[in-house]
Amino acid sequence: DPSSFGFSKVLVCNPLNNMADDEEDEIDLVDPKEELVEKCNQEGAVAAKWADYMACADRIEAKGEGECSGQYFDYLHVLDKCVMPKVWSLLK
């Protein structure tokens, strides 16, 4: 059952159909991780790290030199900590 893998829609394929019918049978797959990322971006720790990164990016833009890779990796780390347990729970 594809829904047990967290996919909300399934691509239906029938090799006996012609091309016109195939277009009607296709349903876009939805990656559940994308929705979880959007939800986690609203949470406190993740939103705070994103704000830190954006503040750094604004400083770098004004100064004209530097980098914000540390802040960006901090953001990705807390985002992964938020998203990954939820993704794995969808796959069980």
Side-chain angles (χ1 to χ4, degrees):
D1 179 20
S3 64
S4 65
F5 293 106
F7 293 105
S8 59
K9 297 182 181 182
V10 180
L11 177 63
V12 178
C13 294
N14 182 345
L16 301 177
N17 286 347
N18 63 27
M19 289 300 287
D21 290 339
D22 284 345
E23 291 176 12
E24 294 173 8
D25 290 343
E26 288 185 24
I27 300 174
D28 292 333
L29 294 175
V30 176
D31 184 358
K33 183 182 173 198
E34 292 177 13
E35 183 178 324
L36 292 172
V37 166
E38 289 178 27
K39 288 180 182 178
C40 283
N41 275 325
Q42 304 302 315
E43 293 184 10
V46 178
K49 290 296 182 184
W50 180 253
D52 291 346
Y53 169 70
M54 292 307 295
C56 178
D58 290 341
R59 285 191 306 273
I60 297 303
E61 187 176 331
K63 195 185 331 178
E65 62 181 51
E67 65 175 55
C68 298
S69 58
Q71 290 83 351
Y72 187 68
F73 287 122
D74 289 345
Y75 159 72
L76 290 178
H77 178 74
V78 295
L79 180 63
D80 283 345
K81 285 180 74 172
C82 177
V83 171
M84 292 317 294
K86 297 171 185 168
V87 168
W88 286 114
S89 71
L90 292 173
L91 297 176
K92 291 181 182 180

